[in-house]
Amino acid sequence: VHLVESGGGLVQAGGSLRLSCVASGRTSEPYSTGWFRQAPGRKRDFVAAINWSGSLTDYGDFVKGRFSVSRDNAKNTMYLQMNRLKPEDTGVYYCAQIRTWPRDPYAYWGQGTQVTVSS
């Protein structure tokens, strides 16, 4: 499965963004997907994951109710709704297929989408 992220941008603290992750390839087979992010000089962190049916989700501890992951399998798309953004949410956001639920991804990373939160 090939995944492409979009939807990032510059937003003020307290604002919102919705990221999208579009899949292509063997999308007919069930797979879980997740969001990860990497700030400059830091390791890549887990943000959120969702299983194929959408019945299971998992979030990084720092999310604390601010983000919501969803998916539309008819559109081969996963979303990350981010609300009440903070400057520390700044980074490049990546999506990936999950190898072991919920936080272990296949390490095939695309270009990601940049999220910048100004204070």
Side-chain angles (χ1 to χ4, degrees):
V1 176
H2 180 62
L3 303 170
V4 177
E5 309 90 345
S6 65
L10 173 64
V11 64
Q12 288 188 330
S16 299
L17 281 174
R18 189 175 82 154
L19 307 184
S20 298
C21 172
V22 179
S24 60
R26 300 177 66 177
T27 57
S28 61
E29 299 179 4
Y31 59 95
S32 298
T33 45
W35 288 98
F36 299 79
R37 73 182 188 187
Q38 188 167 24
R42 300 191 62 177
K43 66 176 181 67
R44 190 175 281 122
D45 290 327
F46 169 77
V47 177
I50 186 168
N51 70 343
W52 172 254
S53 67
S55 61
L56 291 175
T57 58
D58 188 45
Y59 294 94
D61 293 341
F62 61 85
V63 170
K64 295 182 180 179
R66 298 183 298 128
F67 296 179
S68 177
V69 63
S70 61
R71 68 190 296 163
D72 183 344
N73 291 335
K75 296 181 179 180
N76 296 324
T77 302
M78 175 180 65
Y79 304 97
L80 183 68
Q81 177 67 44
M82 303 188 295
N83 299 323
R84 304 197 306 277
L85 283 162
K86 305 176 182 179
E88 51 264 44
D89 292 319
T90 294
V92 180
Y93 283 68
Y94 303 89
C95 58
Q97 186 177 350
I98 299 298
R99 177 175 58 182
T100 305
W101 180 261
R103 306 187 179 193
D104 178 31
Y106 286 101
Y108 299 114
W109 304 107
Q111 291 188 332
T113 187
Q114 175 71 46
V115 172
T116 304
V117 184
S118 62
S119 58

